[in-house]
Amino acid sequence: MKHLLDTISLSREEAISILDIAEEMTQVSEREVKKLPVLRGRTVVNLFFEDSTRTRLSFEAAAKRLSADVLNFSAKGSSVSKGESLQDTIQTISAMGADALVVRHPGSGTPHRLAHTGWIDVPVVNAGDGTHEHPTQALLDAFTLRRALGGFSASGAVKEGPRGRGLDGAKVAIVGDVLHSRVARSNVHLLARLGAEVHLVAPPTLLPWGVENWPVTLHYDLDEALHSEDFAAVMMLRVQNERMHESFFPNEREYARLWGLSAARLAGLPKETFIMHPGPMNRGFEISAAAADSPRALILDQVENGVSVRMAVLYRLLTGQEGTNE
Ligand code: NCD
């Protein structure tokens, strides 16, 4: 694996290998000294052309725990505001000696361009490109679910979870603004490849063209979906207002009433159903405080696991190895 650009082209074996390395990385994060010397002397550049809190901090923490040097670039306040092109920005960074690029960009496909134009010849990690993909988010979601449900690994070892079977056959509902969500797209491909049964629950206006060809079951009514299926997890998506240039639903109250994970809907879910959200959350809109703060919410586990998963990705791409031997 040279780059991590999407999950649609990530094989099941490669995905499981990343999750298994992340499992080893979690042990590092639990130590008093949370560091491995494996990327000493290497430089990871975080290039953020779009706002981010958790993803940027998480990549920075991951690179630092592997002892890499980290350069953070954000387009706001840089020469991009003076009109510098993507090519010049990348070549400037390349000249400073980057060993890996982590890229978030509003343009779908930008990480693919960086990986293939020849402006720079280092591994590229997609940290979210427009409405396209966000592969490390999907990997951390799969990792979190695998741990919560009882996992499996390439070696076939199965740890028992509340439902005793890991991701295999687990029903996962992804609810809300699928149309604008790179998180949903990456999760659909990865979870399906890992054996989960993915359900999308959304108003027809917030589903993308071609969704009928995705490996998913579609629902257009949240209450009907929650009553008819026994979901292992319900993943709520943020409504991506910043990507909406027309009206996709009547108003916020109406959206919350029909599509929000309210306290009442939470109370109606089976006790073992986990709640997920990639963050940032709009409390009271797509998710109620009752759901976000419930003991069944894995939302902070997702953030915590994000560091281990990104350590695994950087380790895999920069060393080419499958295990840490630590
Ligand atoms: C997501 C993103 O930026 O795509 N957030 C994240 O990376 N944790 C989801 C979102 O912004 O809604």
Side-chain angles (χ1 to χ4, degrees), residues 50-56 104 127-130 133-134 136-137 140 180-183 236-240 242-243 277-282 286 303 310:
E50 225 187 51
D51 297 344
S52 170
T53 306
R54 68 213 82 220
T55 305
R56 195 183 60 68
R104 168 167 289 195
D129 62 329
E133 283 230 31
H134 191 354
T136 58
Q137 178 71 39
L140 75 88
H180 302 101
S181 177
R182 50 200 180 200
V183 174
M236 303 306 296
L237 299 172
R238 184 174 66 86
V239 176
Q240 312 252 315
E242 74 279 21
R243 298 188 208 280
H277 192 300
M281 291 185 276
N282 289 308
E286 76 266 357
V303 176
R310 289 173 175 124

Side-chain angles (χ1 to χ4, degrees), residues 238-251:
R238 184 174 66 86
V239 176
Q240 312 252 315
N241 276 317
E242 74 279 21
R243 298 188 208 280
M244 293 187 182
H245 307 297
E246 48 190 294
S247 180
F248 290 90
F249 49 87
N251 57 51

Side-chain angles (χ1 to χ4, degrees), residues 3 5 86-87 90-91 101 109-122 124:
H3 308 285
L5 302 174
L86 183 61
Q87 177 173 1
I90 297 302
Q91 287 177 333
L101 284 187
T110 302
H112 290 71
R113 255 178 88 206
L114 295 187
H116 298 122
T117 43
W119 295 336
I120 187 166
D121 183 27
V122 297
V124 176

